[in-house]
Amino acid sequence: MRIDILTVFPDMLEGFFNCSMMARAQKAGLADIHLHDIRDYTTDKHHKTDDYPFGGCAGLVMKIEPIDRLITDLKSQREYDEVIYTSPDGEQFNQKTANSLSLLNNIIILCGHYKGIDYRIREHLITREISIGDYVLTGGELAAAVMTDSIVRLIPGVLSDEQSALSDCFQDNLLAPPVYTRPADYKGWRVPDVLLSGNQALIDDWEFQQSMERTKRLRPDLLK
Ligand code: ADE
């Protein structure tokens, strides 16, 4: 899967995608993540990516030309399944969205900034607008990182069998059960006996009961 991220701050994301699972997925050829600096597609001598809004309200708006040039350039090289814009007023991102996006071949994620982007970009170039939650970030870079991380880890082969995404929270609308590792007894704080019993049927049943109990207590909305 290829993900092209369009931003005015590629440095913000560089380190993130060069670490841990995101770096492994790219080295293994399972994810192809490209950061593009929108500024490289400006043609004026000051490399302006934003300007004052018509109508005189406060704040700056991202300009249409460099973003259109960049998206047009990418689209001339391959077909894209979605051109996503990160915005607090978009549809809410969740595990279901991550699952469906992870099945696509090529996506573009445009990170917004300032007061927003020239609305014509949303009208003519964007196919989907996504928010990662009901709060406002200074820019869409963190939202792009959050979405890309949760999408890429779902690509078959990125996680090992033991880390399988099938046992993730939310995959079946249940929170995951508690997990423990050695030592089995730390300062008298003991790991539940059932996990040491070696009886897999009992362990599976306990884990399911724990998932149900935690979901009822912490996220009853998921059971509706
Ligand atoms: N840009 C600013 N806030 C955002 C949010 N909550 N989700 C996605 N993009 C954003």
Side-chain angles (χ1 to χ4, degrees), residues 86-88 130-140 143:
T86 59
S87 175
I130 300 183
S131 161
I132 60 162
D134 284 346
Y135 41 81
V136 180
L137 303 163
T138 52

Side-chain angles (χ1 to χ4, degrees), residues 82-86 91 97 100-101 104 126-130:
E82 296 280 11
V83 183
I84 297 166
Y85 171 55
T86 59
E91 64 176 285
T97 327
S100 66
L101 292 176
L104 303 179
I126 297 299
T127 60
R128 204 156 170 187
E129 302 180 334
I130 300 183

Side-chain angles (χ1 to χ4, degrees), residues 1-3 78-81 101-107:
M1 176 182 195
R2 177 176 169 124
I3 304 179
R78 68 197 62 77
E79 264 191 36
Y80 284 90
D81 304 300
L101 292 176
S102 74
L103 301 174
L104 303 179
N105 291 322
N106 301 315
I107 64 172

Side-chain angles (χ1 to χ4, degrees), residues 22-65:
M22 294 301 107
R24 271 186 41 196
Q26 290 175 87
K27 278 194 198 116
L30 298 167
D32 196 10
I33 302 169
H34 295 262
L35 300 175
H36 303 272
D37 190 341
I38 295 169
R39 209 170 294 281
D40 292 343
Y41 287 76
T42 55
T43 51
D44 63 302
K45 77 169 188 242
H46 299 295
H47 302 291
K48 259 168 76 104
T49 56
D50 53 66
D51 209 338
Y52 293 99
F54 285 120
C57 42
L60 291 169
V61 174
M62 286 174 76
K63 290 169 69 62
I64 189 166
E65 303 98 314

Side-chain angles (χ1 to χ4, degrees), residues 156-188:
V158 171
L159 300 183
S160 60
D161 279 352
E162 312 88 80
Q163 299 165 318
S164 165
L166 293 175
S167 59
D168 282 346
C169 275
F170 304 119
Q171 245 355 321
D172 46 12
N173 265 356
L174 288 179
L175 301 186
V179 291
Y180 303 86
T181 187
R182 285 175 287 192
D185 187 337
Y186 177 69
K187 294 183 176 175

